[in-house]
């Protein structure tokens, strides 16, 4: 998605919000005028004060701004009292804004304008919309149920599967809440199928998206297909750029992609570009670190498991999909 076109479209939406709010403001004023003669008189008095000051300014006359401010404030207080007396709230005629910070313009700051937090949130929502429609973010930490994991010893491991998943959940939550200021930017979840690797990664992605960051998820197979097309004829350039520049990239099922002479090169391009720009990547794989070293070139493996940037987390225990009633 082109962010500049998204901003242009959202600015049009913001303009329509302002128009609708102005119409509502006019409707409210007419309602008040119809029910309170005192409020109507005071509204006319305030308008005349402002018009008189404008005429004086245009005529080159000096305006006593302090006196004018005091007069207007007194009239405003009288209007609030009249509104309350007529059964309205005192702020019934205040300007209506969806976002008081930017007054529905999308920008804040003087003299340098910058995007308002509300606009940034909308942009991120739009950027992530396609991912959510594709299923990313369907899981959340609220759905994390440790009781589904067996609380029994696992051969060769120091803790039960449930206790181990408790620790993984704690680390995953911390990563999502600290993002992007995580201790290390990359996570590799490895272990046999059915242990919850994709679920945990999706919980992280969902929370990061909720915090207004751009997230992309791609299977390793799909990523290699996009890279192949991009290298062959330049197509899929936007998709590849998204993979290289999004705030968080989740690569699922690394190791299931076809192994060709270009596979390691494609993977290196994505990981190296993201590492060089301090961007965050989560990888789930059924491969062990040793198997990754064997499957990919040493250059790729050194990027994948750079201890300065990556935390490798092992998942172990029983396959939940093979358990009764799971």
């Amino acid at each position: 998605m082109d962010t500049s076109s998204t901003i242009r479209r959202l600015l049009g939406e913001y303009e329509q919000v302002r128009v609708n709010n102005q119409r509502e403001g006019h409707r409210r004023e007419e309602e008040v005028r119809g029910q309170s003669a005192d409020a109507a008189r005071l509204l006319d008095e305030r308008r005349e004060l402002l018009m008189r000051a404008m005429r004086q300014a245009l005529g080159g006359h000096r305006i006593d701004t302090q006196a004018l401010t005091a007069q207007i404030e007194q009239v405003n207080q009288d209007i609030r009292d009249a509104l309350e007396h007529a059964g309205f709230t005192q702020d019934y005629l205040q300007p209506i804004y969806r976002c008081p910070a930017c007054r529905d313009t999308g920008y804040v700051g003087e003299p340098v304008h910058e995007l308002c937090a509300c606009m940034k949130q909308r942009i991120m929502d739009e950027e992530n919309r396609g991912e959510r429609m594709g299923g990313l973010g369907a899981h959340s930490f609220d759905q994390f149920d440790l009781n589904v994991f067996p609380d029994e010893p696992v051969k060769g491991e120091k803790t039960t599967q449930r206790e181990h998943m408790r620790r993984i959940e704690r680390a995953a939550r911390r990563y999502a809440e600290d993002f992007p200021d995580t201790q290390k930017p990359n996570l590799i979840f490895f272990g046999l199928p059915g242990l919850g690797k994709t679920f945990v990664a999706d919980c992280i992605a969902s929370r990061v998206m909720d915090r207004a960051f751009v997230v992309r998820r791609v299977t390793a197979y799909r990523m290699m297909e996009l890279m192949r097309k991009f290298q062959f004829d330049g197509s899929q350039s936007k998709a590849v750029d998204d993979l290289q520049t999004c705030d968080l990239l989740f690569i699922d099922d690394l190791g299931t992609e076809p192994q060709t002479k270009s596979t390691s090169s494609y993977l290196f391009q994505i990981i190296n570009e993201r590492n060089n720009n301090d961007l965050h990547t989560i990888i789930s794989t059924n491969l062990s670190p040793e198997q990754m070293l064997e499957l990919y070139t040493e250059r790729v493996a050194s990027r994948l498991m750079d201890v300065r940037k990556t935390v490798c987390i092992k998942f172990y225990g029983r396959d939940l999909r093979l358990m009764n009633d799971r």
Side-chain angles (χ1 to χ4, degrees):
M1 180 177 293
D2 181 10
T3 301
S4 61
S5 63
T6 298
I7 292 176
R8 287 194 297 271
R9 182 170 56 78
L10 289 175
L11 287 175
E13 178 185 310
Y14 274 54
E15 182 179 4
Q16 187 58 53
V17 168
R18 294 196 301 273
V19 169
N20 292 340
N21 287 342
Q22 288 171 1
R23 288 174 179 167
E24 175 61 14
H26 292 323
R27 187 200 67 77
R28 290 186 181 190
E29 181 173 334
E30 291 304 311
E31 180 185 11
V32 168
R33 286 179 176 276
Q35 296 189 35
S36 173
D38 286 342
R41 175 181 56 78
L42 290 165
L43 288 169
D44 289 338
E45 182 180 337
R46 182 175 64 183
R47 182 170 300 167
E48 179 55 32
L49 279 172
L50 294 171
M51 292 298 295
R52 187 187 310 144
M54 187 179 300
R55 289 193 295 267
Q56 289 176 342
L58 292 174
H61 299 290
R62 181 178 177 277
I63 300 174
D64 187 342
T65 56
Q66 186 173 358
L68 177 62
T69 300
Q71 283 181 288
I72 292 176
E73 178 50 41
Q74 182 57 57
V75 174
N76 284 340
Q77 182 57 57
D78 292 342
I79 290 173
R80 290 192 289 269
D81 292 341
L83 286 171
E84 188 172 38
H85 182 74
F88 298 97
T89 60
Q90 288 198 351
D91 63 353
Y92 192 65
L93 294 182
Q94 290 295 308
I96 303 169
Y97 300 118
R98 184 173 63 182
C99 176
C102 68
R103 298 187 175 185
D104 298 330
T105 64
Y107 290 90
V108 294
E110 291 288 350
V112 179
H113 293 310
E114 63 178 35
L115 290 175
C116 181
C118 70
M119 174 65 87
K120 292 177 182 178
Q121 179 69 59
R122 289 299 311 282
I123 293 171
M124 295 304 102
D125 288 345
E126 291 296 316
E127 292 282 342
N128 286 320
R129 183 189 298 276
E131 302 301 326
R132 291 189 185 277
M133 291 177 65
L136 183 59
H139 301 111
S140 70
F141 287 113
D142 291 339
Q143 299 169 314
F144 212 114
D145 182 7
L146 290 170
N147 291 322
V148 304
F149 301 98
D151 194 21
E152 57 193 36
V154 178
K155 185 178 180 179
E157 303 297 345
K158 296 180 180 180
T159 63
T160 68
Q161 187 175 358
R162 182 179 302 174
E163 178 57 31
H164 186 58
M165 289 305 299
R166 179 179 286 109
R167 296 177 182 180
I168 289 177
E169 178 193 14
R170 189 179 305 122
R173 285 181 182 270
R174 184 168 60 250
Y175 181 94
E177 294 300 330
D178 290 347
F179 190 94
D181 300 319
T182 56
Q183 185 177 18
K184 295 181 181 181
N186 303 332
L187 300 174
I188 294 181
F189 295 160
F190 70 95
L192 296 175
L195 301 178
K197 300 185 298 294
T198 298
F199 173 79
V200 174
D202 198 29
C203 288
I204 293 174
S206 181
R207 179 58 185 142
V208 171
M209 283 194 293
D210 288 343
R211 297 184 55 229
F213 293 97
V214 176
V215 179
R216 294 289 181 264
R217 178 180 65 182
V218 65
T219 63
Y221 183 95
R222 175 63 175 161
M223 182 175 72
M224 295 305 167
E225 183 67 10
L226 292 173
M227 290 296 293
R228 185 189 66 78
K229 291 181 179 179
F230 174 65
Q231 295 289 343
F232 179 70
D233 60 10
S235 65
Q236 302 299 332
S237 60
K238 180 61 174 66
V240 171
D241 184 64
D242 280 349
L243 298 181
Q244 294 179 328
T245 62
C246 62
D247 297 317
L248 174 63
L249 174 64
F250 170 25
I251 303 173
D252 200 15
D253 281 336
L254 185 69
T256 61
E257 72 280 1
Q259 295 300 312
T260 70
K261 62 181 181 180
S262 298
T263 297
S264 288
S265 175
Y266 292 160
L267 182 57
F268 178 84
Q269 289 181 51
I270 295 294
I271 299 301
N272 188 58
E273 183 71 16
R274 295 187 62 79
N275 281 355
N276 287 343
N277 290 291
D278 294 323
L279 295 171
H280 292 59
T281 305
I282 299 176
I283 295 173
S284 75
T285 179
N286 297 336
L287 302 174
S288 68
E290 294 74 21
Q291 289 171 321
M292 281 188 278
L293 286 170
E294 293 176 2
L295 189 61
Y296 303 108
T297 65
E298 182 178 349
R299 187 173 70 151
V300 173
S302 68
R303 291 298 189 277
L304 284 173
M305 291 175 283
D306 184 345
V307 296
R308 297 168 300 175
K309 291 182 174 292
T310 302
V311 176
C312 293
I313 299 178
K314 179 181 180 181
F315 285 63
Y316 60 73
R318 296 170 60 186
D319 185 337
L320 300 183
R321 297 173 299 185
L322 301 180
M323 296 172 60
N324 292 331
D325 300 322
R326 300 299 186 197

